[in-house]
Amino acid sequence: MLLTSVVSSQPMLGVTVSKTICTFLITLAIWRLLRRFIIKSAFDNLPGPPSRSWLFGNIPQLFTPNGWNFHHSILKRYGRAIKLRGVLGEQLLVTFDPKALHYILVKDQHIYEGSSAFIERNRQLLGEGLLSTRGEQHRKQKKMLNPVFSINHMREMSERTRCRLCCKFSLMIGSVPLFYEVTERLRATLKTKLANGPQEIDALHWMTRTALELIGQSGMGYSFDNLSGDDDIHPYSVSVKKFVPLGGGPVGFLVNQFVFPFAIKFNFPRLKRFLVECLPFQRAREFVKVIDVMHHTSIEIINAKKKALTSPNPEVVAEMMSKKDIISILMKANVTASKQDQLSDEEVLGQVSEQMTTFVFAGMDTTSSALSRTLWLLATHQDVQQRLREEIRGAQEDGQLSYDQLVSLPYLDAVCRETLRVYPPINLAPMRMARQDMILPFSKPIFDSTGKQVSEVFIPAGTNIIISVLGANCNPDLWGPDSYEWKPERWLSPLPKAVEDAHMPGIYSHLMTFLGGGRACIGFKFSQLEMKVVLSVLLSSFKFAMAEKEISWKMNGIAGPTVAGEDEMHPQLPLLMRLVE
């Protein structure tokens, strides 16, 4: 009887325990929600715009493709530290204060790591790479990749180089340098198109294809595009172009914040894929296809290189060992690294998959965005375009420009720097999250919403922090009242003393375009070289003018142009091009 009683009571006990757990979880969720409105701190008094929705806060305004006016308005009205509302009243901090950025990105970067949502999303989609690791694992991966982006390696990408063949002698490579080989193909195709006179050309289309081929050849030793036919586009290019819009915007933000951190706790990949494919949302199914193409291309490239590296033919191995593309160097470096610094097979695959995506974003989407923006600006500022063309042509008397010549052209450098200052391709850096209670100082006092001056603010653990790249680059306190105006000439004179004294923690020209600290963009030198090579080749042969269409730039994670009144999901930049006499 006693045994029967115990057995019969077990279901009742299970139900009781389940109810208790559910009640606890619901109570905890309600408490976390209510404490946002009950418990007050100095953070609550930071200035900021009113919340537009009790459910979504300011998120729709912050991440909408047409959000430029909202961003400019809050930066100019509320200053260097802004409080926004997230989902269900969550408090977000938006800042571009130089001292605050130094603490977030450099001094206390181990505390202000990438948000859990950002890290887990990248880990789910891209594997174990730079964008999805923290701490020592991230440091180890970055250390292995640093030599790839050295000045010497960049110089080799743009100059004639020596290579040691398996027959143990050296010779000068007769073909044009790698960067020029790609851009010369582009120039030849465009010359053919313009042979019969001026035409309207989609500059974004060709900048995207050229940027992908440059990063493919130099980054992976892989050709994606011969840059000939209008429609000869590699599926990988199409997929990467869709990755940011599909994963961005208000919907992408909500999915990243709430779905991926939950999904990572369940290690059932096939089940998760099945559930995603069953969702009645075309966007979700399209995202799965994009990830598949990117992943399968990564597998294809790494398997080909692994096969060459382990080939029984010494000539094949020697050829592989002589390659200087990023993925080959990564694989060779891992083979020769010390045991404690070696990556596992899973990490190498994650690195290749993730680094391919990272490098393509750096070399394709962000750089093609910056190049397209530069051409658009030059088309609207014909005097700047002509001056830049004269500088480039004057330096080309002896033929193609070397690395040292490219980086020493003052006006070309000024145009690139000013474009990246006023029009950074990425307006908001990936979110950081405070992992413990912190005091965040400011470079100078700010006025809170009560009118009180404060020089620091308490940041509760778990607070998400958004860095405004646009705000940091165009801060009128540093750059003056014309800070939001595009003026390349400002770089030809000494910069304002306030800019130098601010000690902005960015790794490039007192700007935050490529961020700073341990998670700064590792490929910023590559991107700079890429921009200058393409501009020097195009401007020496072609003239750009505005077509009779209104261009609208969208904030789709990475800024992109569209034609006003046409499909916003089809980015394009039609410019009128003609051959230069």
Side-chain angles (χ1 to χ4, degrees), residues 124-148:
Q124 289 277 296
L125 298 179
L126 306 173
E128 298 282 344
L130 280 179
L131 292 180
S132 53
T133 54
R134 297 191 183 105
E136 181 61 21
Q137 188 182 12
H138 182 270
R139 183 205 65 78
K140 185 170 66 173
Q141 292 180 1
K142 197 164 187 178
K143 178 183 177 182
M144 187 169 288
L145 287 167
N146 276 330
V148 174

Side-chain angles (χ1 to χ4, degrees), residues 522-539:
I522 192 173
F524 80 99
K525 295 175 185 175
F526 183 98
S527 178
Q528 281 294 286
L529 179 61
E530 190 177 354
M531 284 185 66
K532 291 181 177 181
V533 169
V534 173
L535 290 173
S536 69
V537 169
L538 293 184
L539 290 173

